[in-house]
Amino acid sequence: MNVHDSDKIVGILSESDHGTADSIEEADVIVLNTCSIRQKAEQKFYSELGRLRTIKKNNPDLKIAVAGCIAQQQGDAIFKKFPYVDFIFGPDNIDSLQTWISSRIQSTDNRQQKTALRENPGYQTKILPMKRIGRVRAWVSIIYGCDNFCAYCVVPYTRGRERSRPCKDIYDEVVSLTGQGFKEITLLGQNVNSYGKNLPEKIDFSDLLRMIHEIMGLQRIRFVTSHPRDISEKLINTMRDLPKMCKHIHLPVQSGSDKILASMNRGYSYRDYKNKIDMLKAAIPDIAVTTDIITGFPGETDEDFQLTVNALSEIEYDGIFAFKYSERPDTKALALPDHIDETIKSERLSHILKLQEVITFQKNMEMEGQVLEILVEGMSETDDKNLTGRTLTNKIVNFRGDPDDIGNIVMIKVKEARQHSLHGEKVKSRK
Ligand code: SAM
Ligand code: SF4
C-alpha cells in the first residue's frame, strides 16, 4: 500500500515538472514516505531523516517533506525535533502535495502539516496522477483504512476508518489501465473482503470482482489483503467461477493459538480459519495460500507458539511473512501483561522461518516438470538474459525468452525449483 502511495507521490511530482534526481545531493525536493507498522521501519526513517540534516545544511533551498503513517502519527513531534522538515502529510492527504508543491515551495514560510483524517480523502474524490512502474501489472485501491483494531496494529489510527471507494471509480480506473495495456490488476485494501459495507449502492466484494471481470483486455485479477473472518462462501465460489481470477490467496493467520488470537482481537479461532482454508482448497484445488505470522505476542507461551508451528505444518503454506511482535503507539497490546523477551521473540521467528523454508522449497520442487501459464512481466532483475513472470499461483518464474513476450501469457515447463523462484523453459502448448 505504501509503494502504491509512493507511485501517487511520484506522479504528483512528475506532473509539476519534477523529475528523478540522480543523487540525494542534487535533489530540490525530498519526500520520505514512511511506514510505522513495526518499530524497525520507524527507526530506519529517523536515521534517514537525521542524515538529511547535513544535506540540507549544504543546500538550504532543499525542501524536505515527510509522508505516510509516521507523518500521520508523529506530525508535531517531527516538526519540533527536526526544524529542517518543511511539509508533513498523512496518507489521507496525499493530494495536498499538489498544492504545496505548486505554491508553497517558492515561499520561505512553507512549514505545513496536513494530517487530518478525512471522510472523503482527496485520493478518493479524484484520480491522482500516478507513475506506475512497468506496463503489465497495476495496483488499484478499492478500500481505505480499517475498522478491525487488531490489538497490535497501528493501521486504524494512521489510515483511519474503513471507507470503500465507489465501484464506478474503480471500474473506470481499471478500464483506463487496460486501455494503456496493463494485463493484471491487484485490488488493494487492508481488508478487501469487507468492500461495499459503507457504500450507498448494494454491492459486496464478489459483485465488484464480477464487474471488473467483464473488462475487455484484462487478463488477470488479484487482491490483497483478505481478513479470514470475512471470507464468505459467495467469495470462494466467485473465485472458483471467474476464469481471470488468480489462484492465490494471502490470508493472514497471525497465530495458531486461540488464546492469542482472542487477545489479538482477530475475531476467529484457528479451527474457523482452517475451515475457510479447507473450503478454499475444496473449491480451487491448486490454490496457493500465503500468510502473515507474528511471534512473541504478549502472553505467548511455548505451548501457544507450538500451536503456530503446528498450524504451519498442517496448512503447508506456499509462503509466509513472519515478524516479531513490535510495540506500537496507541495500540491495545501495549497494556497487555506478559510481554515477551526480545531473544525469545527472535528465536521463535527464526524457528518459524526455517520450518517454512523447507515447506516452500518442497512445494516448489513439486512443480518441477509441470507446464504452467505465466504472465511475462519484464526482464529478470538478477539476470538480464532472462525474462520473469508469475504463475496464477503467484510463483515467480524466470526463463530465457524474447522481450517481445513481455505482457503476454506464455506456457513454461518448470525445469528447476529454487528457494524463492522457479526456472523454466518456454514450450508451445500444454502438451
Ligand atoms: N490488513 C492485513 C491483515 O489483517 O492481515 C495486513 C495488515 S499489516 C499492514 C501486515 C502485517 O503486519 C500483519 O498481518 C501483521 O502480521 C504484521 N503486523 C502488524 N502490526 C504488527 C506489530 N505491531 N508487530 C509485528 N507485526 C505486525
Ligand atoms: Fe491492522 Fe488488523 Fe486492520 Fe489488518 S485487519 S490492518 S492487522 S487492524
Side-chain angles (χ1 to χ4, degrees):
M1 197 160 283
N2 263 37
V3 175
H4 188 48
D5 286 349
S6 294
D7 290 346
K8 291 177 194 158
I9 290 169
V10 176
I12 292 171
L13 290 171
S14 308
E15 204 170 63
S16 68
D17 282 342
H18 289 79
T20 311
D22 289 331
S23 69
I24 282 191
E25 287 75 15
E26 286 169 69
D28 302 312
V29 182
I30 294 175
V31 183
L32 294 175
N33 189 20
T34 62
C35 170
S36 65
I37 199 79
R38 281 170 294 276
Q39 215 169 10
K40 203 166 161 190
E42 198 164 330
Q43 282 160 355
K44 268 194 196 166
F45 156 67
Y46 282 116
S47 70
E48 190 62 32
L49 191 54
R51 209 161 69 88
L52 295 186
R53 189 189 300 266
T54 330
I55 310 264
K56 178 107 171 188
K57 233 184 227 159
N58 297 335
N59 174 11
D61 293 335
L62 169 70
K63 304 289 176 204
I64 297 177
V66 178
C69 289
I70 305 179
Q72 184 65 38
Q73 266 199 317
Q74 308 289 341
D76 284 332
I78 296 172
F79 264 157
K80 280 199 193 105
K81 207 165 158 209
F82 303 92
Y84 51 94
V85 170
D86 300 289
F87 184 42
I88 288 178
F89 61 109
D92 261 10
N93 288 280
I94 291 180
D95 57 322
S96 67
L97 179 63
Q98 272 175 325
T99 332
W100 180 73
I101 205 82
S102 59
S103 59
R104 310 293 293 181
I105 191 108
Q106 305 303 342
S107 152
T108 46
D109 167 33
N110 61 353
R111 283 201 116 192
Q112 273 190 39
Q113 182 175 342
K114 294 277 181 200
T115 47
L117 290 172
R118 292 150 76 187
E119 200 169 317
N120 295 305
Y123 53 67
Q124 196 172 350
T125 47
K126 55 189 172 202
I127 292 184
L128 294 176
M130 192 145 1
K131 189 134 187 157
R132 288 187 156 98
I133 296 172
R135 273 284 173 273
V136 181
R137 317 166 70 210
W139 287 309
V140 173
S141 297
I142 65 161
I143 186 165
Y144 307 106
C146 182
D147 282 351
N148 284 321
F149 289 94
C150 299
Y152 49 81
C153 184
V154 285
V155 170
Y157 307 96
T158 58
R159 290 187 177 264
R161 295 287 65 70
E162 184 181 289
R163 288 142 295 167
S164 295
R165 191 175 168 201
C167 62
K168 175 156 187 330
D169 291 2
I170 299 170
Y171 184 87
D172 289 350
E173 188 172 350
V174 179
V175 168
S176 151
L177 288 167
T178 48
Q180 292 165 48
F182 285 95
K183 300 287 172 17
E184 181 183 296
I185 297 296
T186 302
L187 303 175
L188 267 189
Q190 293 300 341
N191 181 10
V192 289
N193 312 138
S194 86
Y195 177 80
K197 278 186 190 155
N198 61 324
L199 286 174
E201 62 259 59
K202 207 176 161 305
I203 181 165
D204 64 16
F205 184 51
S206 302
D207 304 330
L208 179 72
L209 288 174
R210 286 192 182 276
M211 232 175 92
I212 287 175
H213 194 265
E214 296 306 306
I215 295 173
M216 289 262 292
L218 181 61
Q219 300 201 2
R220 285 181 171 188
I221 306 171
R222 297 186 191 276
F223 56 84
V224 69
T225 296
S226 302
H227 193 292
R229 190 197 48 220
D230 296 322
I231 293 274
S232 64
E233 204 177 332
K234 180 176 174 189
L235 176 61
I236 294 174
N237 292 341
T238 306
M239 289 174 71
R240 179 197 61 199
D241 296 341
L242 299 183
K244 292 180 186 174
M245 289 304 309
C246 286
K247 295 178 176 203
H248 168 226
I249 189 155
H250 184 67
L251 202 57
V253 65
Q254 313 297 0
S255 168
S257 152
D258 289 347
K259 182 193 92 189
I260 296 297
L261 287 171
S263 126
M264 284 176 166
N265 190 29
R266 286 294 287 175
Y268 54 83
S269 65
Y270 176 66
R271 226 0 81 201
D272 298 336
Y273 178 91
K274 177 68 173 44
N275 286 342
K276 298 271 168 97
I277 298 278
D278 291 345
M279 282 162 69
L280 280 157
K281 286 187 174 169
I284 311 157
D286 46 349
I287 193 167
V289 185
T290 53
T291 202
D292 292 346
I293 305 272
I294 296 178
T295 65
F297 187 74
E300 186 187 72
T301 59
D302 286 343
E303 290 73 29
D304 294 316
F305 175 65
Q306 187 55 46
L307 290 169
T308 303
V309 172
N310 296 351
L312 249 67
S313 307
E314 181 174 46
I315 293 174
E316 296 189 329
Y317 290 104
D318 291 79
I320 63 166
F321 296 100
F323 320 97
K324 286 189 283 183
Y325 165 69
S326 168
E327 291 183 11
R328 305 313 297 131
D330 299 330
T331 57
K332 293 237 167 65
L334 286 178
L336 290 174
D338 303 324
H339 280 247
I340 307 294
D341 187 83
E342 276 303 311
T343 324
I344 296 179
K345 284 188 208 171
S346 301
E347 280 169 13
R348 289 180 181 168
L349 178 65
S350 75
H351 183 105
I352 288 278
L353 291 174
K354 272 192 202 132
L355 169 63
Q356 185 57 41
E357 251 183 34
V358 176
I359 298 172
T360 302
F361 189 59
Q362 184 59 39
K363 291 215 149 210
N364 285 350
M365 294 267 287
E366 283 164 15
M367 303 190 81
E368 283 185 358
Q370 290 184 26
V371 175
L372 304 167
E373 200 184 289
I374 310 294
L375 174 60
V376 186
E377 290 167 20
M379 302 309 296
S380 155
E381 275 177 22
T382 49
D383 178 350
D384 60 11
K385 290 190 195 72
N386 277 341
L387 291 171
T388 189
R390 268 165 221 261
T391 62
L392 283 163
T393 53
N394 210 29
K395 308 243 185 232
I396 294 173
V397 183
N398 297 311
F399 63 98
R400 285 262 188 279
D402 184 339
D404 284 349
D405 277 335
I406 295 173
N408 292 339
I409 290 194
V410 298
M411 302 309 295
I412 299 290
K413 182 164 190 174
V414 179
K415 290 287 182 189
E416 190 192 335
R418 297 181 182 165
Q419 186 62 52
H420 300 292
S421 63
L422 304 167
H423 193 82
E425 203 174 84
K426 195 171 158 185
V427 293
K428 286 214 163 53
S429 70
R430 282 172 190 276
K431 296 274 158 58

